[in-house]
């Protein structure tokens, strides 16, 4: 296979050597905790690589992942392979600065946190859910501001400009907005260490209260 001009063999991949996120839910968070903790403790692993191919999911699960990533004593590399939307885009930006990548044809999408109360719940519960959603939304975009180097106000102005619609970005736009540092794909070999020198740069369940980002 070739991605971003970098050749790789899927038979060389060892699941224990990296983390691949496709969905955001509490089962994924539980597995993420196990895998991340193992890589954090492994003396042979100097950088923790997280591959992302996701359309998003549960915002609470993403919050748990953030806490682990930001508390890591090792650099955490986030790498988008094709798609990083919603929670996936926020996770992509969470990586250690200088270690955030996306393949040249990647599509990134950012939007506000969406509430998901059942229509059968009481009005008071719906109101509380709306308050919780707004709180989460503010927290997520303040974190996103910190991760990307943009001001919170600039991000809010962009969302307002789009009338709260989904914000789609190409790989080049994601780099411009500080979501990634490189339009490239690191090479993974048979060792548990990713080679971050082999790069090809582009030229100029809460059932009734699930929150999605």
């Amino acid at each position: 296979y070739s991605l971003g001009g970098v050749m790789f063999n899927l038979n060389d991949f060892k699941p224990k050597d990296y983390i691949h996120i496709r969905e955001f839910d509490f089962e994924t968070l539980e597995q993420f905790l196990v895998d991340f903790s193992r890589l954090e403790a492994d003396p042979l692993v100097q950088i923790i690589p997280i591959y992302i191919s996701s359309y998003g999911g549960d915002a609470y699960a993403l919050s748990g992942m953030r806490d682990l990533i930001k508390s890591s004593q090792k650099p955490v590399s986030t790498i988008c392979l094709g798609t990083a939307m919603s929670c996936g885009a926020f996770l992509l930006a969470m990586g250690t600065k200088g270690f955030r990548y996306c393949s040249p044809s990647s599509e990134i999408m950012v939007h506000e946190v969406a509430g998901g109360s059942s229509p059968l719940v009481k009005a008071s519960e719906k109101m509380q859910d709306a308050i919780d959603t707004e709180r989460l939304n503010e927290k997520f975009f303040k974190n996103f501001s910190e991760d990307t180097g943009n001001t919170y106000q600039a991000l809010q102005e962009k969302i307002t400009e789009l009338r709260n619609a989904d914000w789609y970005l190409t790989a080049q736009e994601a780099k411009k907005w500080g979501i990634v540092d490189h339009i490239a794909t690191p090479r993974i070999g048979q060792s548990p260490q990713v080679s971050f020198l082999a790069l090809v740069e582009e030229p100029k369940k809460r059932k009734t209260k699930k929150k999605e980002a």
Side-chain angles (χ1 to χ4, degrees):
Y1 288 82
S2 175
L3 191 58
V6 179
M7 300 300 297
F8 63 90
N9 185 342
L10 290 179
N11 292 326
D12 292 340
F13 282 27
K14 297 180 180 181
K16 67 178 181 179
D17 298 341
Y18 68 97
I19 298 171
H20 190 182
I21 299 297
R22 299 178 181 85
E23 299 178 352
F24 290 84
D25 52 35
F26 284 99
E27 288 77 12
T28 301
L29 176 58
E30 183 177 9
Q31 187 61 49
F32 183 88
L33 171 60
V34 172
D35 294 337
F36 195 91
S37 298
R38 182 175 60 246
L39 293 174
E40 178 81 19
D42 190 335
L44 296 178
V45 175
Q46 298 179 16
I47 299 171
I48 300 175
I50 301 175
Y51 282 82
I52 305 165
S53 304
S54 176
Y55 289 101
D58 192 284
Y60 293 109
L62 176 63
S63 293
M65 293 179 185
R66 180 182 179 83
D67 289 342
L68 288 170
I69 290 171
K70 294 303 181 180
S71 66
S72 176
Q73 298 300 307
K74 298 179 179 180
V76 176
S77 179
T78 49
I79 307 154
C80 173
L81 294 181
T83 306
M85 298 187 178
S86 192
C87 280
F90 286 110
L91 178 61
L92 181 60
M94 287 177 196
T96 304
K97 290 184 179 180
F99 294 89
R100 302 171 302 176
Y101 302 82
C102 66
S103 57
S105 58
S106 291
E107 290 288 336
I108 292 88
M109 186 271 283
V110 178
H111 63 186
E112 294 185 299
V113 176
S117 292
S118 165
L120 300 179
V121 301
K122 296 183 295 185
S124 59
E125 292 179 345
K126 288 185 178 181
M127 182 178 296
Q128 184 58 48
D129 183 65
I131 293 173
D132 189 43
T133 298
E134 184 60 30
R135 178 187 59 79
L136 278 177
N137 194 60
E138 180 177 352
K139 181 181 76 171
F140 269 56
F141 274 90
K142 284 184 176 179
N143 288 338
F144 196 56
S145 169
E146 177 184 325
D147 294 336
T148 62
N150 296 291
T151 65
Y152 177 74
Q153 181 180 359
L155 294 172
Q156 289 302 299
E157 288 176 352
K158 183 63 179 179
I159 295 298
T160 300
E161 175 188 327
L162 296 170
R163 297 184 179 181
N164 300 317
D166 295 339
W167 177 15
Y168 288 91
L169 302 97
T170 62
Q172 291 77 13
E173 290 169 334
K175 183 177 179 182
K176 177 182 177 181
W177 278 89
I179 298 172
V180 298
D181 306 297
H182 310 285
I183 303 174
T185 311
R187 187 197 304 274
I188 288 186
Q190 293 184 344
S191 72
Q193 185 57 49
V194 175
S195 172
F196 289 89
L197 299 178
L199 301 175
V200 178
E201 276 282 359
E202 280 289 283
K204 298 232 129 164
K205 259 174 182 165
R206 293 209 297 188
K207 296 184 179 179
T208 62
K209 281 193 170 184
K210 183 176 182 179
K211 299 288 190 301
E212 296 187 347

